[in-house]
Amino acid sequence: MKRIALLGATGSIGRQAIEVITAHPGLELVAAASGSRPVDGLAPMTQVGGDLTALLERARPDVVLNAVVGFAGLPPTMWALEHGVTLALANKESLVAAGELALEAQRRGGGELIPVDSEHSALFQCARLGEAASVVLTASGGPFRGRSSDELVEVTPEDALAHPTWSMGPKITVDSATLANKGLEVIEAHFLFGLPYDRIEVVIHPASIVHGLVRFRDGAAIAHLGYPDMRVPISYALTYPERAPTPVPPLELRTLVFEQPDLETFPMLALGREAGERGGTYPCAYNAANEVAVQAFLERRIGFCDIAPLVEDVLGRVDGAPARDLTDLHEADSRARGLVPVA
Ligand SMILES: NC(=O)c1ccc[n+]([C@@H]2O[C@H](COP(=O)([O-])OP(=O)(O)OC[C@H]3O[C@@H](n4cnc5c(N)ncnc54)[C@H](OP(=O)(O)O)[C@@H]3O)[C@@H](O)[C@H]2O)c1
């Protein structure tokens, strides 16, 4: 029996995780937490808000599924890595922000870090077949793929939340529309697979059938395909190294289309890559500024096209000095948030 602690149990990933856990006799939900919505009765130990690491200390799970959204997911990520407890990571923001600190904690703890993000789960599975020379992350392109900057000026939160292939929480859905999600994922891939940024490609693939592709030095490339359904990577992360059945139907093959991302209309992807290449706490600042800007957009305080310039401005004003510890990291996060004029 694997004992699972599910953080972010009321969210999109959280609800699908409950479905996966309930269907699998070898998985037991021992703890569940949310930020504000009720989780009573979901697990023997539950918590709404408060210190997530205190819950983990009490629950002592075999696996932490971190499905919290945003930088708020940092403490449980660090707790699991530091304690050598398997971390099934949906909360990409914590790895993007903490980067080296998270990897150092994993080295000390010695536990597994298994990505739940579909693209990284795909790459993780392909990369087990040999040493990756480079990786390709696919992006659906979001609801505004093919539009010009002028056509994006008036778009509303409702427009941005209408994702063509994935049904997800509001923050990641807006990130998919700006391509910030792919910017975060490029940085996430850098830390997960230890690859320099010039070996992490992004292609637009509107159908979201190919989730990721690993290139090997002999010229072979191995891709991971499947319907866009998060129950697959959630199940893989929770049952790893086994593979359990899911209700997802077998894939029917059809024409697959790939195109290059439009970096001018969607500057958040290039900004994310640049923040990653600059290193230090630039990725933390990129994430923090983006979180604040996305919240302001969802609350209609700024327009869609204001998000990228606000983040770019913050990246130009922080020093990006590396974080020696979590105190430094929290300071870098707060400083970046404070620099967004809509905070
Ligand atoms: N959804 C997807 O398909 C998908 C795919 C790949 C990666 N991810 C990643 O997975 C994470 C979750 O995404 P999501 O779409 O599931 O988001 P979501 O639907 O907005 O759910 C977020 C969850 O986090 C909880 N939460 C927020 N702040 C918290 C806090 N301070 N303490 C404890 N819990 C807190 C929320 O609880 P309350 O609702 O009670 O506030 C909710 O359960 C994100 O990092 C996202 O990038 C998601």
Side-chain angles (χ1 to χ4, degrees), residues 8 10-13 34-37 67 90-93 117 168-169 230:
T10 50
S12 161
I13 293 287
S34 70
S36 55
R37 286 179 278 177
N91 177 256
K92 65 191 89 184
E93 295 92 341
D117 223 351
M168 310 180 285
M230 288 307 294

Side-chain angles (χ1 to χ4, degrees), residues 14-280:
R15 289 191 306 271
Q16 294 177 85
I18 291 168
E19 201 186 309
V20 168
I21 295 165
T22 309
H24 194 296
L27 302 175
E28 181 187 9
L29 189 61
V30 294
S34 70
S36 55
R37 286 179 278 177
V39 281
D40 308 337
L42 266 186
M45 284 178 230
T46 56
Q47 183 172 304
V48 178
D51 180 355
L52 292 168
T53 59
L55 178 69
L56 296 175
E57 286 289 345
R58 279 193 289 133
R60 289 280 158 180
D62 300 315
V63 181
V64 174
L65 172 46
N66 187 353
V68 171
V69 63
F71 189 73
L74 180 68
T77 285
M78 296 305 289
W79 186 94
L81 294 174
E82 201 72 69
H83 287 78
V85 173
T86 299
L87 175 62
L89 185 66
N91 177 256
K92 65 191 89 184
E93 295 92 341
S94 55
L95 186 58
V96 167
E100 281 90 5
L101 292 180
L103 295 186
E104 282 164 23
Q106 188 194 10
R107 273 192 289 275
R108 285 192 297 271
E112 299 272 9
L113 167 49
I114 306 167
V116 170
D117 223 351
S118 57
E119 297 79 356
H120 302 73
S121 173
L123 297 177
F124 181 86
Q125 293 174 53
C126 297
R128 284 164 60 81
L129 301 169
E131 194 185 332
S134 66
V135 297
V136 182
L137 291 164
T138 53
S140 71
F144 306 140
R145 181 177 59 86
R147 296 214 198 165
S148 67
S149 311
D150 290 347
E151 291 169 322
L152 294 178
V153 175
E154 299 293 333
V155 299
T156 63
E158 288 74 21
D159 299 327
L161 290 174
H163 196 279
T165 49
W166 293 100
S167 166
M168 310 180 285
K171 191 256 176 184
I172 184 176
T173 307
V174 174
D175 285 349
S176 299
T178 61
L179 291 197
N181 185 45
K182 226 36 68 174
L184 293 167
E185 287 183 8
V186 166
I187 302 171
E188 184 185 10
H190 166 77
F191 288 118
L192 282 173
F193 303 108
L195 288 169
Y197 284 93
D198 61 2
R199 298 212 220 146
I200 303 170
E201 299 165 50
V202 173
V203 292
I204 301 293
H205 169 50
S208 304
I209 295 292
V210 176
H211 302 299
L213 181 148
V214 173
R215 298 184 197 279
F216 298 94
R217 65 180 175 191
D218 59 358
I222 296 184
H224 178 290
L225 286 73
Y227 289 120
D229 190 316
M230 288 307 294
R231 290 174 300 181
V232 177
I234 292 169
S235 175
Y236 183 81
L238 294 183
T239 61
Y240 174 85
E242 308 290 320
R243 226 179 243 284
T246 74
V248 179
L251 181 68
E252 268 183 45
L253 290 177
R254 52 179 139 130
T255 307
L256 299 172
V257 176
F258 302 91
E259 54 193 59
Q260 287 306 305
D262 176 351
L263 298 177
E264 279 180 25
T265 309
F266 300 98
M268 286 301 287
L269 172 54
L271 284 173
R273 185 182 284 279
E274 196 185 315
E277 281 168 346
R278 292 169 87 178

